[in-house]
Each structure stands twice: as C-alpha cells, then as structure tokens.
Amino acid sequence: MAIINTGNFPAALVPLQVKWFGEVYNEYKAEYPALFDVEKSTRAYDEESGIMGFGLASETGQGESVTYDEARQTYTNRYIHKKYTKGYIVTEEAIDDNQYDISVLGKREARALAFAMRQTMETLAANVYNRAFNASYTFGDGVRLCVTNHPLFGGGTWSNVLSISSDLSEAALEQAYIDISGFTDDRGNKIAIKPNSLIVTPTNEFEAHRILKSVLRVGTGDNDTNALRDMGAFPGGVKVNHYLTDSDAYFIRTNCPDGMKMKERKATSFGADNDFDTANAKFKASFRVSFGVTDPRGILGSAGV
C-alpha cells in the first residue's frame, strides 16, 4: 500500500525549504463536454436501442390492398458505469514532524488529487475518439466508431469516415459536409443531419481557425468566397482537445439527437478520515461514469494521411 511518510518529503522535516513546486499546474478548461452530450443516470447501467421505421410507400391500384410494413428494434448500446478511484494516506509522523504549514500535506495534496481525477475524466472521454479507428473497440452495431461499413437494418451499409481520406483542409471539410448530408436512416430514408462542431488537436488549431474564419478561400490567390464560413457550416465552432493522441485525426460532431454520450452515474466526490489503529490520515476521491455512442451518425471522423 502506498503511504506518504516522512521519507516522501524529507525537506519538510527541516526549516530550510521555502517553496514547493511541480505537483499542481494550471489546467485547461474542461474539454470533455465538447465531445459528448452529458446525461445523468440512476442505474447500474443504461441501454439505448435503435428503431427502424418504415420504407417508402407503394403505389396501390384501385381495389388493391394496402401494403403493410413493420417497424423493429435494431441494435442496443449499453453504457456500463465504471467506478474510478484515487486516494492517499499520510502517516501521523509525517504530519507531526512537518515544519511548515500543514497545507504541504493537506490542501496541496487535495488539489493534486482533484487534478488527477480531472485528468482521468478527460483521458477516458478522449479515448473513445482515440480508438475510433481501432477495430478492437466496437459498439452496438458490431463495428468500430468510425468505419465505412456500419450496417443498415434495412439492408446495405453506410459510412461515417471521410470518403476521401485526407488531412484537415478546406476541401476535406467541404467533402465531409457533403458526406454527412448523405446520411440516411436504417430504411435508406434521407435525414436532416448536419455538421455542428469541428474537433481538432492543438496541431490543427490554427489551420482550423483559418479555414472557418477566413472571408475568402484559404491559401489561394482566387477571390472566391469562403463557402464554409458564409454557410455557417459549423455553428458549434472549433473545439480543441489536448487529450487526443493522433495529431492528424479530426472529428465532426453532428446535430444527430442521440449521438456521442457521457453518462454520469456519480459525480466526483471527496472524502477524508483517520485510521484508528495507525492514526494515519486517509483521503480519497471517486466517480462513476461511462462514455460511448448511441447513434454513430453523431460523428464523422478522419484519421488523416
């Protein structure tokens, strides 16, 4: 068991140390809410199932019977709320022999614990995107998050990856807009799915800004208008995520009503107590959460080239 004792902070035992550093730094504003719609949960797990509606109507002649169709349940996504914990123990001697303000082993360590919990949350959220092109991580329809062959229950497949794989560019985003406009339901009916926000790594932050904010087309000598900007193609703007691991990858979240979701079963909570036998001070933090996707039409991704 890891325990903070007098050996962990020898400088705190003599009145010479004047400054502690390196444990807590400034943090980025929470970024995971830009990746998911956040919902509360009161259960051990949540399941969300799709429904396939009806196809096109059939021409019916005089005196002929109506053509009947059937709706049915499609695939189910299960959100299992896993528990994540972290804590630390400080011996009675480490507290007693500390020659400085107790914040060295109290408030400061608590800040470090909170920092670790927030980093964990951000990493868990980003990992859904980091694994979007990894066949080892699949969802309710049996394939990975971003793939060319999501099954349609009415027959056939559909894709939520860029039809022409490329790095971030004006042309790539225009093609992505076109691809998203071609999304259908499980019967092949046209649906009004549009791009909402563009998610990039810090590597692509400046390029994304130029592409979407320039009045004229980017990187050309032409006097053509910037169609993406004029059309308001990404009303949710650019979202930079520092926890994505592939600098070339970028994602587009759409206005799909049930897409990328975070289920919060229990918000981060902190607790403290003392062990009776040892008089050690114990501190802990925990949360329960799950991240996933209900309808993969909520996202289109490109791994770059």
Side-chain angles (χ1 to χ4, degrees):
M1 179 184 296
I3 299 178
I4 299 174
N5 55 38
T6 54
N8 290 81
F9 290 95
L13 305 180
V14 292
L16 297 174
Q17 190 76 20
V18 295
K19 181 70 175 179
W20 298 92
F21 70 93
E23 190 169 47
V24 179
Y25 294 93
N26 292 335
E27 299 180 65
Y28 294 110
K29 183 180 178 181
E31 295 178 349
Y32 68 86
L35 304 183
F36 298 90
D37 295 323
V38 181
E39 299 180 353
K40 301 287 186 180
S41 175
T42 59
R43 293 170 289 273
Y45 61 86
D46 290 304
E47 288 188 345
E48 299 191 352
S49 300
I51 297 176
M52 181 178 69
F54 302 120
L56 299 178
S58 303
E59 181 179 346
T60 305
Q62 293 186 47
E64 293 181 354
S65 176
V66 171
T67 300
Y68 292 93
D69 201 351
E70 64 175 2
R72 59 169 295 186
Q73 179 179 317
T74 60
Y75 59 83
T76 297
N77 280 292
R78 174 175 287 190
Y79 293 82
I80 300 176
H81 314 313
K82 296 182 179 179
K83 183 179 181 180
Y84 298 87
T85 64
K86 177 69 70 174
Y88 63 96
I89 300 173
V90 184
T91 65
E92 181 182 26
E93 291 82 0
I95 295 175
D96 289 344
D97 297 344
N98 176 34
Q99 297 296 302
Y100 300 91
D101 189 284
I102 193 61
S103 63
V104 171
L105 296 177
K107 294 180 181 179
R108 193 169 187 85
E109 294 300 328
R111 287 179 57 199
L113 180 59
F115 180 83
M117 299 304 286
R118 288 190 290 269
Q119 290 284 304
T120 302
M121 186 77 77
E122 294 286 3
T123 301
L124 291 171
N127 277 346
V128 177
Y129 286 72
N130 291 331
R131 298 163 177 168
F133 309 101
N134 188 331
S136 297
Y137 298 91
T138 61
F139 292 90
D141 61 357
V143 295
R144 61 183 184 262
L145 178 59
C146 293
V147 70
T148 60
N149 62 336
H150 285 288
L152 290 170
F153 268 69
T157 60
W158 66 280
S159 171
N160 67 341
V161 295
L162 200 62
S163 60
I164 302 174
S165 182
S166 64
D167 291 331
L168 183 67
S169 68
E170 180 184 26
L173 292 184
E174 289 180 354
Q175 185 60 55
Y177 189 100
I178 294 170
D179 293 347
I180 291 170
S181 297
F183 284 179
T184 69
D185 66 10
D186 278 292
R187 287 288 195 175
N189 298 314
K190 300 293 184 181
I191 51 179
I193 301 292
K194 297 292 183 182
N196 181 45
S197 60
L198 173 63
I199 299 168
V200 299
T201 66
T203 302
N204 277 326
E205 180 177 3
F206 293 99
E207 185 64 17
H209 183 87
R210 282 189 287 265
I211 293 171
L212 297 183
K213 296 295 184 180
S214 296
V215 175
L216 303 179
R217 292 191 64 190
V218 181
T220 75
D222 300 327
N223 197 34
D224 298 342
T225 186
N226 182 343
L228 291 170
R229 177 182 181 274
D230 291 350
M231 294 167 59
F234 293 85
V238 177
K239 308 296 183 183
V240 180
N241 190 283
H242 294 82
Y243 303 88
L244 298 178
T245 55
D246 185 349
S247 61
D248 293 331
Y250 54 97
F251 302 88
I252 297 170
R253 285 196 66 193
T254 74
N255 64 349
C256 180
D258 290 289
M260 307 299 295
K261 290 190 177 184
M262 167 190 166
K263 302 280 190 174
E264 184 182 70
R265 179 62 182 88
K266 180 183 178 183
T268 304
S269 62
F270 298 88
D273 205 347
N274 287 83
D275 182 74
F276 180 79
D277 291 327
T278 65
N280 291 344
K282 304 176 73 174
F283 306 85
K284 68 177 183 178
S286 67
F287 61 76
R288 288 180 65 192
V289 71
S290 59
F291 296 92
V293 59
T294 294
D295 188 341
R297 294 172 181 83
I299 193 169
L300 181 142
S302 174
V305 293

